[in-house]
Amino acid sequence: QVQLVESGGGLVQPGGSLRLSCAASGTIFNILSRNWYRQAPGKQRELVATITSGSSTNYADSVKGRFTISRDNAKNSVYLQMNSLKPEDTAVYYCNVRFYDSRYDVRDLWGQGTQVTVSS
């Protein structure tokens, strides 16, 4: 079974940058979208950024203009470039791939999460 492996999290000062990576261990077919979610302590998981199979992107209002999602199909990878980080960006960030299975049911594949902490 294909797995998603995230990397790139860590501790950064306010105003700093991080780049998250998410690599799939194999090929995923019939992808609808690749997404980054985050979950802060005591809060619900929220959608941060989306890139569709047609390369359209969408962002949560809280990160627009600061975060950029991109992908490299040849490497089965998706990235999240995070600039001008704020303490409120502190969360566990999860990579997600949404796809159709063989029955054309929508399925979600999740990574294990990577911690991002923004603090001075």
Side-chain angles (χ1 to χ4, degrees):
Q1 182 171 347
V2 177
Q3 294 182 329
L4 301 178
V5 180
E6 296 123 335
S7 60
L11 173 64
V12 63
Q13 292 186 342
S17 298
L18 282 175
R19 185 181 189 234
L20 304 183
S21 299
C22 173
S25 60
T27 301
I28 304 170
F29 297 97
N30 301 320
I31 292 176
L32 289 165
S33 63
R34 301 175 192 264
N35 311 286
W36 285 98
Y37 286 76
R38 68 185 180 187
Q39 188 167 19
K43 295 188 176 182
Q44 289 189 332
R45 190 173 295 189
E46 63 169 342
L47 178 61
V48 174
T50 294
I51 184 164
T52 69
S53 58
S55 297
S56 297
T57 58
N58 196 28
Y59 299 91
D61 288 342
S62 57
V63 307
K64 279 181 182 176
R66 301 188 297 121
F67 290 11
T68 302
I69 188 171
S70 62
R71 68 182 186 195
D72 186 333
N73 290 335
K75 295 182 178 180
N76 291 328
S77 294
V78 62
Y79 308 96
L80 187 67
Q81 178 66 44
M82 304 185 294
N83 299 327
S84 303
L85 282 161
K86 305 174 181 180
E88 50 264 43
D89 295 317
T90 295
V92 177
Y93 283 71
Y94 296 91
C95 175
N96 164 271
V97 175
R98 180 158 288 181
F99 63 99
Y100 287 120
D101 66 12
S102 59
R103 300 180 183 180
Y104 283 90
D105 290 327
V106 176
R107 299 290 185 187
D108 285 299
L109 187 61
W110 293 92
Q112 82 284 359
T114 185
Q115 176 70 47
V116 171
T117 303
V118 184
S119 175
S120 54

